[in-house]
């Protein structure tokens, strides 16, 4: 699968990157979502992603108050990578903060990730004490000061995306991306205007939770008892329950059927479909808590689905959506 340009920025990335929320070490507001991984494990996960051809990583300040950023940086260092050989996307947390916090905290982000530079700096979600325009101006200042290469947003609506794009365009900076939930079980981008606006403005959509937090791998269908092993927060947010398994079983069976023709897995077909269905507009950042999952994620770029396969998965996905 060819590399893609991140929005209209100069940055090129593989169609699949690695999400590293899983590296939070159980800390912070959202860190308790995943079981804690030690440094040996995060290094093994990062190695598997790199070995498989993944060339970029998504992290955030909010993932364990910088733990994910630090673990990622440590893993890349231990693996002998040099700055500039991989792309790094991180995020500023806007809740209860003003845009003035953006220049005040950038040094912390750069320090957590050091020596890896920030290629993409994203506003994590739309709830800030400052307007979109003020936040974009602060982000634009960082680009102009050479502290980050490109600017993105996350969880922005189509209307907010247009606003953010217009504010940065006044500075001659393209808004590179909007990171939102997209999977075969959540295709709201097709109905809420985001896909149309992103295509029109040349903004990349970065799909988070692309495996519906593991549901699309089929592992809970194969072993429903495994539901009990995931955190309550994750069961609730991902609707990982017997009703979901029943509703989505035909989709997972279709994924497995298509996968068999490619010597692939259900997860790989789910990811491949996501980064193929809408052309270059959507890239995906599956998370992994063990090396085999990162290997599988990278392997999703290794085959092409036929028109008929894209369509059959499309139909099964429509039937499985809540
Ligand atoms: N911007 C935002 O607001 C936002 C929100 C959510 C996520 N994100 C980003 O998106 C990334 C991915 O989203 P996500 O972690 O929510 O969901 P996801 O990628 O859909 O699911 C990841 C989880 O699925 C399981 N999994 C992965 N590969 C598997 C495989 N091959 N077979 C079986 N199970 C597999 C693992 O669960 P186990 O750990 O239980 O093995 C893994 O932790 C995050 O790491 C983060 O970087 C951003």
């Amino acid at each position: 699968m060819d590399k893609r340009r991140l929005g209209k920025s100069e940055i090129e990335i593989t169609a699949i990157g690695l999400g590293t929320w899983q590296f939070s070490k159980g800390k912070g507001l959202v860190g308790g979502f995943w079981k804690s991984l030690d440094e040996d494990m995060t290094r093994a996960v990062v190695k598997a992603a790199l070995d498989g051809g993944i060339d970029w990583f998504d992290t955030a300040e909010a993932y364990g108050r910088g733990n994910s950023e630090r673990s990622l940086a440590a893993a890349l260092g231990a693996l002998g990578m040099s700055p500039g050989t991989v792309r790094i996307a991180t995020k500023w947390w806007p809740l209860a903060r003003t845009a003035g916090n953006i220049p005040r905290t950038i040094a912390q982000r750069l320090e957590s990730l050091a020596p890896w530079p920030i290629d993409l700096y994203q506003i994590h979600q739309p709830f800030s004490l400052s307007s979109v325009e003020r936040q974009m101006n602060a982000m634009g200042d960082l680009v102009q000061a050479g502290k980050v290469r490109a600017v993105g947003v996350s969880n922005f609506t189509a209307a907010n995306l247009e606003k953010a794009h217009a504010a940065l365009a006044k500075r001659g900076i393209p808004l590179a991306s909007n990171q939102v939930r997209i999977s075969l079980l959540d295709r709201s981008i097709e109905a809420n205007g985001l896909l149309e606006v992103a295509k029109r403005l040349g903004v990349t959509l970065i799909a988070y939770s692309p495996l519906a937090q593991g549901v699309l791998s089929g592992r809970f269908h194969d072993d429903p008892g495994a539901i009990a092993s995931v955190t309550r927060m994750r069961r609730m947010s991902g609707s990982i329950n017997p009703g979901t398994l029943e509703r989505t079983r035909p989709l997972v069976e279709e994924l497995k059927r298509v996968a068999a023709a490619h010597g692939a897995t259900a997860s790989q077909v789910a990811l491949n479909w996501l980064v193929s269905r809408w052309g270059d507009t959507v890239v995906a950042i599956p998370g992994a808590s063990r090396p085999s999952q990162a290997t599988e994620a990278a392997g999703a770029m290794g085959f092409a689905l036929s028109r008929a396969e894209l369509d059959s998965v499309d139909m099964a996905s429509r039937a499985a959506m809540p």
Side-chain angles (χ1 to χ4, degrees):
M1 212 172 255
D2 290 340
K3 285 208 186 188
R4 302 183 176 188
R5 201 164 151 203
L6 183 64
K8 289 186 176 165
S9 76
E10 289 170 356
I11 299 169
E12 287 214 330
I13 49 169
T14 46
I16 291 177
L18 184 78
T20 64
W21 181 11
Q22 283 72 4
F23 297 1
S24 301
K25 295 198 166 42
K27 294 283 183 317
L29 199 62
V30 294
F33 218 85
W34 306 99
K35 62 175 187 273
S36 185
L37 306 179
D38 65 22
E39 297 287 279
D40 286 348
M41 184 54 82
T42 54
R43 189 170 60 249
V45 169
V46 170
K47 181 175 188 310
L50 292 169
D51 287 349
I54 284 176
D55 76 348
W56 66 290
F57 297 85
D58 176 76
T59 180
E61 172 186 12
Y63 300 163
R65 297 190 209 102
N67 271 337
S68 165
E69 293 173 324
R70 285 185 288 273
S71 283
L72 174 61
L76 290 169
L79 292 166
M81 302 297 290
S82 339
T85 50
V86 294
R87 312 272 85 80
I88 308 276
T90 191
K91 312 182 194 85
W92 173 71
W93 184 252
L95 199 69
R97 285 172 163 176
T98 65
N101 182 268
I102 293 174
R104 280 202 297 279
T105 50
I106 188 65
Q108 287 169 21
R109 305 275 61 71
L110 288 164
E111 200 184 309
S112 296
L113 281 164
W116 278 269
I118 298 172
D119 294 287
L120 176 69
Y121 201 31
Q122 305 155 98
I123 308 265
H124 204 140
Q125 38 93 341
F127 308 107
S128 156
L129 297 175
S130 293
S131 66
V132 168
E133 287 79 4
R134 283 198 57 216
Q135 293 173 72
M136 286 301 122
N137 265 327
M139 293 297 238
D141 289 344
L142 296 184
V143 173
Q144 277 168 353
K147 293 189 173 166
V148 307
R149 283 178 74 197
V151 178
V153 293
S154 178
N155 296 303
F156 270 40
T157 60
N160 275 340
L161 187 63
E162 299 235 39
K163 259 192 219 167
H165 182 272
L168 271 188
K170 280 189 197 150
R171 316 265 306 249
I173 301 168
L175 177 70
S177 58
N178 186 15
Q179 186 176 134
V180 286
R181 181 184 286 143
I182 315 173
S183 76
L184 285 163
L185 295 178
D186 188 339
R187 294 168 56 175
S188 28
I189 56 158
E190 293 177 317
N192 62 17
L194 271 180
L195 189 61
E196 185 274 312
V197 173
K199 278 193 177 285
R200 174 160 46 80
L201 300 178
V203 170
T204 296
L205 294 177
I206 301 176
Y208 74 66
S209 304
L211 294 171
Q213 300 197 326
V215 170
L216 291 168
S217 71
R219 80 173 210 229
F220 299 112
H221 298 80
D222 294 344
D223 174 17
I227 293 180
S229 69
V230 306
T231 60
R232 190 163 165 269
M233 257 194 297
R234 177 172 163 199
R235 281 202 298 273
M236 287 175 65
S237 119
S239 300
I240 305 178
N241 56 51
T244 297
L245 297 191
E246 197 182 317
R247 194 186 73 241
T248 57
R249 191 174 294 281
L251 168 61
V252 167
E253 277 166 10
E254 181 58 15
L255 292 176
K256 287 183 176 172
R257 189 191 68 77
V258 172
H262 294 277
T265 64
S267 302
Q268 289 176 322
V269 173
L271 293 173
N272 186 304
W273 187 94
L274 214 57
V275 299
S276 306
R277 173 69 178 80
W278 300 291
D280 278 0
T281 301
V282 175
V283 297
I285 45 166
S289 66
R290 60 189 80 165
S292 59
Q293 294 174 351
T295 301
E296 252 186 68
M301 297 184 282
F303 58 98
L305 294 173
S306 68
R307 185 75 256 165
E309 289 169 334
L310 286 167
D311 289 347
S312 75
V313 172
D314 181 82
M315 272 173 54
S317 145
R318 286 177 196 283
M321 276 186 290

